[in-house]
Amino acid sequence: MERSDFIENRVDVVKNIYTLYSYAKSNVAEDKEWALERFEKGKWYVVEPFGDTLIFAPSRFVGYKNNTKQKHTQNHGDGTQTNKNFLKLGLYWKSTKKSMEESLLDKFRIFMTTLGKEKIKANFLIPATLNVAELENKHRCHFITPAQNKNCEEAAWKYFLNNNTIRIKEDDTRNKVVSNIQDYDLITQITEGDIVCCKNGSLGLWGIGITISYYKARNYNKDPQFAKIAGDNIQTQYHYFDVAWLCFNDIGYIPISDLNIQFPETKWKSDSISIQSTGVPKYISDYLLNRSNVDSNKNDNNKYMEVNKKYEKYVKLLEANKNLILTGAPGTGKTYMAREIAKAMGAKSEFVQFHPSYDYTDFVEGLRPVKSKDSESIGFERKDGVLKKFCNEAIKSNKLTLSFLKVPDALQLFKEDLKKNGSINISSIKSNTFTTLVKIKLSDNNLISIPNKSGWSVDDATILHYIYGDRVEDYNEYTTLIGEYIKQHYLEKATHNYVTSDKFVFIIDEINRGEISKIFGELFFSIDPGYRGAKDLRVKTQYQNLITDESDPFYEGFYVPDNVYIIGTMNDIDRSVESMDFAMRRRFAWEEVKADENTGMLDNLEDMKDDVVAVMQRLNAAIWDENTNSGIEGLSTAYHIGGAYFSKLALYLNDDHSNKEEAYTHLWNNHLKGLLFEYLRGTPDAMVKLKSLEDRYYNRNGNDTE
C-alpha cells in the first residue's frame, strides 16, 4: 500500500531532516547504520540551512509527515511521489544549472564525509525562497524572551512549540524610545536558516529551532493564549516567524549545564530584553548538530561533549597562533586530529601531503602547460597553487554585513541635519509635469513633522518600518516621501557595517617531508601570525608580473587572509625532521600528541577496546616509561606506537572476536615487529631488545604492572 501521508509544509521537512540526521549521529549502532544507509542510497536530496551548516537528506525519507525509522521500514514509499509533492506545494525547486549543481555537490560531498561516507553524484531540491548563493549565507543566532511577564513564559513557549512559530508582541519593540529601534532592526534581520533560542532567563533554554520564513510584518490575529499573556482580550499586533523547533525537553527546559558553554564564550543575557542577536555560538551549534533526539539519552550527549572538549585546547591554540604543528609518535592520529580541529572550529578545510618532489609551483603558483584553443600547440600559463587558491576562496568568504544599527543610523543622520539646518525641503512629484517642495522639520517632541500639514508628524518606528519594507496601510504619501529620501541620501552615509568571514583551515600532512624553503619560498613572511591579513605588507611572488587581472585579490601582491589557519603534522622521529629550520619553527605553535590521547580510533574494536589499550600501554611503557624514566636506551616517548597501528587488529578478527589470540599474532608479525626493528636497527643487542619488547607485547611475564 502506497503512503499518502505527505508533508504539507516546510517545517515538516526540516523536522524530518533533523530526525534522520539524529539517527546518523546516534550512539545506537543499529540506528546509525540504518540512517547512514538511507543517506548513501539517496538520489534526490533536500538541502536546508541549519545555522551555518547545510544539511542534506534524501527526499524519499523527508517527504512524509513525522517520519521515523519504524514508519519508513514498514513502508518507505515512492521517492518520485515525494518530489512531485514538494514541487506541487511550491516548497522547493530542482537545481538544474550545472554551475549550481557543482557548487552544491562540493558541499554535499563534504557533508557526506562528516558522516563517514563518500558519494559523488546527487540531485538537489532547494527551498523555493532561496537560491544557491543564499544557501551559503552566514547566519545568526537569536535569543528571544517568550513573554514580558515571567509567569507567562512557559505558556508562551508551549504556544510557540505547538504552532511552529515565534511571535514578539508589538509593544516589546515600540514602547521604549531607546530600545525600540534596535529591537525592531534585530527582528527584521532574522532570516531563513537562522537559529532561534527561546530563553528561560538564566536557567536555560525552552527550545532551539530553525527559522523557516523571513520576517512577517505585523499580524492582527487574536490569539487567546497571547491575550491572556498581554492581560487583555483585544487584538494585539505581533512580529512573527515560522520555526521548526528541534531541541527541547518534553517537560521543563534545557538546563544551561547541558549546553557545555566553554570559555571564552558566554551565555546569553538573562534579563527581559525581548531579543538578542549574535553569530552562532559554538555551544548552540554543538548541541543542535551533535545531540541525538532519537533513541539517545543524556549520558550519550555528555559522552559527545567530553569528546568534543578534547579538541577545545587545540582550537584555542590554533586561533591564538594561526599556525600549529601536531607532532609526536607514529600512529597517534595526528592527521585525524587536524581534521577534527577544523571541524570543531566550523571551518572549511583543505588537505595536502608534502613529499620530496612537492614544490613552489604546486603550493603557491607556477607555469603550467595549456593546450591552445585554436590549435594543437601547447603553451604555458600562470596558475595558482593550492594554497593561493585556498586563500583566494577565504577572501571571497568575507561579507560586508548590514549591522543592526545601520538603518537607525541613517534616520539619526537625517534628524541631525534637520536640527542643524532647521528644515529640509524634499521634492514631491505629483505628476510627470508638476513637482512641489515639502518642508520637513523636527517637532518639539523630536518627531519628524510637516508644519504646513496641520502639524502632521510621524514617529521613528513607522519610518523604520517603511525603510525595512514593512508596507502597511497607514503609510501615507508623506511617510513614503520621507522614507525614500532617507534611503536615497543617508543609508550610504551610515557607518555601522562589519565584515564577517568564514574560517578556513589548511592542513599539511607530513609537513617535514617536503623541502620547506623550496615549497614556501617568500611566503615565510606571509604565514607569520603577526602579518596575517596585512594587505599593506603584501609579498611579490615569483610570478607577480604575470598577474594582469586587476580584480585578482593578489594583483598587487600576496598575503594570507586573517581567516586562514594552518595545521601541519609530523613524526618526531622521521629522518626528514631536520628540514624544519628555525625560521619555520618560530612561526608555528607546537603541540605533542601522545600515543594514549587518541584511543577513540579503537572504538571499532568494541568490547576488545579496553584490552587493546592495555596492550598498547604495556608495550609503550617497555619502549620508554616516562614515569620511571626507564626503557630501551636511545628511545623515548617519541618512539611510542599509536592507536592507528593497533586498530589494524580489526583486519584479522572474525565477527565474534573468538580468534583474538591469532589476530594479535598477525598484528605483531605484520605491523609492529618491523617498525620496532627499524627503531633498534644499528643499536647494540638489537635482537635481544626486540625479543624483550615482544615478551611485553604478549605479556609473557604475566604481570601488567611491571
Side-chain angles (χ1 to χ4, degrees), residues 108-276:
F108 171 72
R109 290 164 182 161
I110 292 170
F111 169 77
M112 290 296 286
T113 60
T114 66
L115 300 179
K117 295 291 181 181
E118 286 189 13
K119 192 172 175 72
I120 304 300
K121 295 182 179 180
N123 301 298
F124 304 108
L125 290 161
I126 299 167
T129 53
L130 300 175
N131 58 41
V132 173
E134 288 169 333
L135 277 174
E136 301 172 18
N137 282 348
K138 198 77 174 170
H139 287 279
R140 307 189 80 193
C141 182
H142 311 275
F143 295 91
I144 297 176
T145 303
Q148 285 184 318
N149 186 337
K150 180 67 178 173
N151 295 328
C152 298
E153 279 194 4
E154 186 170 4
W157 155 244
K158 288 180 179 177
Y159 179 91
F160 295 162
L161 179 62
N162 293 332
N163 291 277
N164 299 312
T165 189
I166 195 157
R167 299 189 178 188
I168 303 167
K169 189 172 178 290
E170 182 78 2
D171 289 346
D172 289 349
T173 60
R174 295 189 69 177
N175 281 353
K176 297 179 183 179
V177 175
V178 177
S179 68
N180 66 338
I181 294 175
Q182 296 183 11
D183 276 354
Y184 182 72
D185 196 357
L186 287 169
I187 291 166
T188 56
Q189 294 277 332
I190 298 176
T191 61
E192 296 178 55
D194 280 3
I195 296 175
V196 288
C197 300
C198 193
K199 59 180 182 172
N200 183 15
S202 62
L203 299 177
L205 300 174
W206 293 111
I208 303 172
I210 302 295
T211 52
I212 309 301
S213 71
Y214 281 85
Y215 161 77
K216 295 185 178 180
R218 286 176 285 181
N219 172 41
Y220 296 90
N221 292 339
K222 180 178 177 181
D223 297 314
Q225 182 65 60
F226 274 79
K228 177 182 175 183
I229 293 171
D232 54 44
N233 290 307
I234 62 172
Q235 288 187 337
T236 310
Q237 299 173 7
Y238 302 100
H239 308 283
Y240 69 104
F241 303 83
D242 298 330
V243 178
W245 294 106
L246 304 177
C247 298
F248 53 86
N249 288 334
D250 292 332
I251 299 176
Y253 55 90
I254 303 168
I256 197 168
S257 58
D258 281 6
L259 297 173
N260 195 41
I261 302 173
Q262 297 292 316
F263 179 83
E265 287 189 324
T266 58
K267 71 175 179 64
W268 57 92
K269 293 178 183 177
S270 57
D271 54 27
S272 60
I273 294 175
S274 59
I275 181 168
Q276 305 150 34

Side-chain angles (χ1 to χ4, degrees), residues 247-385:
C247 298
F248 53 86
N249 288 334
D250 292 332
I251 299 176
Y253 55 90
I254 303 168
I256 197 168
S257 58
D258 281 6
L259 297 173
N260 195 41
I261 302 173
Q262 297 292 316
F263 179 83
E265 287 189 324
T266 58
K267 71 175 179 64
W268 57 92
K269 293 178 183 177
S270 57
D271 54 27
S272 60
I273 294 175
S274 59
I275 181 168
Q276 305 150 34
S277 298
T278 181
V280 180
K282 186 174 180 299
Y283 65 88
I284 293 295
S285 180
D286 284 346
Y287 191 85
L288 177 68
L289 298 178
N290 297 287
R291 171 184 180 268
S292 174
N293 285 341
V294 182
D295 294 332
S296 190
N297 56 48
K298 185 175 178 181
N299 289 333
D300 291 336
N301 187 47
N302 288 341
K303 180 180 179 182
Y304 164 76
M305 291 299 184
E306 285 300 315
V307 171
N308 191 61
K309 190 176 178 181
K310 177 175 68 174
Y311 297 108
E312 198 71 30
K313 72 170 184 176
Y314 298 100
V315 170
K316 290 178 182 177
L317 194 60
L318 182 59
E319 288 180 337
N321 294 277
K322 299 291 187 181
N323 305 321
L324 174 65
I325 294 284
L326 298 177
T327 183
T332 53
K334 296 181 289 295
T335 304
Y336 172 82
M337 284 186 68
R339 294 182 186 275
E340 290 300 302
I341 292 167
K343 193 187 302 181
M345 290 176 69
K348 177 173 182 179
S349 63
E350 182 77 39
F351 178 91
V352 297
Q353 189 176 73
F354 280 3
H355 50 79
S357 61
Y358 201 85
D359 65 9
Y360 183 90
T361 60
D362 299 309
F363 194 59
V364 184
E365 63 182 352
L367 295 176
R368 295 297 189 195
V370 290
K371 187 176 180 180
S372 173
K373 294 180 181 178
D374 303 322
S375 68
E376 294 297 319
S377 62
I378 301 294
F380 288 88
E381 188 176 310
R382 188 203 65 83
K383 296 287 187 181
D384 287 340

Side-chain angles (χ1 to χ4, degrees), residues 559-661:
Y559 69 97
V560 178
D562 194 54
N563 58 329
V564 169
Y565 304 82
I566 299 175
I567 302 178
T569 71
M570 59 181 285
N571 293 329
D572 277 341
I573 59 175
D574 196 303
R575 304 291 193 274
S576 58
V577 71
E578 293 145 9
S579 69
M580 297 293 290
D581 60 24
F582 289 113
M584 192 69 176
R585 286 180 182 273
R586 73 176 179 82
R587 286 173 167 82
F588 282 80
W590 293 68
E591 184 71 16
E592 182 183 6
V593 181
K594 297 188 176 180
D596 58 358
E597 285 187 45
N598 254 350
T599 57
M601 67 179 75
L602 300 173
D603 287 347
N604 64 321
L605 297 173
E606 298 174 345
D607 60 319
M608 280 188 63
K609 178 183 175 180
D610 290 343
D611 181 55
V612 174
V613 170
V615 174
M616 180 176 73
Q617 291 175 340
R618 186 171 66 230
L619 178 61
N620 284 333
I623 293 171
W624 188 259
D625 189 335
E626 57 185 340
N627 294 320
T628 62
N629 287 324
S630 62
I632 303 292
E633 185 178 353
L635 302 187
S636 66
T637 56
Y639 290 82
H640 282 176
I641 301 176
Y645 280 90
F646 286 86
S647 66
K648 296 179 185 296
L649 196 68
L651 299 173
Y652 307 107
L653 287 166
N654 55 25
D655 290 341
D656 62 0
H657 295 177
S658 59
N659 68 330
K660 62 181 180 180
E661 297 302 327

Side-chain angles (χ1 to χ4, degrees), residues 517-533:
S517 58
K518 183 174 89 171
I519 295 172
F520 278 86
E522 64 277 355
L523 297 199
F524 271 132
F525 177 86
S526 298
I527 67 168
D528 193 298
Y531 302 131
R532 273 296 202 285

